[in-house]
Amino acid sequence: MVLTFFAAAMAPTVLPQVVRRLTGLAADSPEFLDGYAAQLGRMLGHLTGAATPPAG
């Protein structure tokens, strides 16, 4: 599991062209990084049982 999240954390740096193709955003843009960090946090929260319901 740790290796999976390690790879996920590295993906935008190692594969910026894939990020651009999939999202239309630059891998180093604040919009992408904020959203990507939030998604990884949600996945970790669900896996650890610490998930919070979505706001709104």
Side-chain angles (χ1 to χ4, degrees), residues 10-41:
M10 289 181 13
T13 302
V14 178
L15 302 167
Q17 69 281 10
V18 175
V19 170
R20 166 104 40 207
R21 187 173 296 149
L22 293 175
T23 67
L25 299 170
D28 59 354
S29 71
E31 296 85 4
F32 172 76
L33 293 173
D34 290 346
Y36 194 62
Q39 289 296 327
L40 289 177

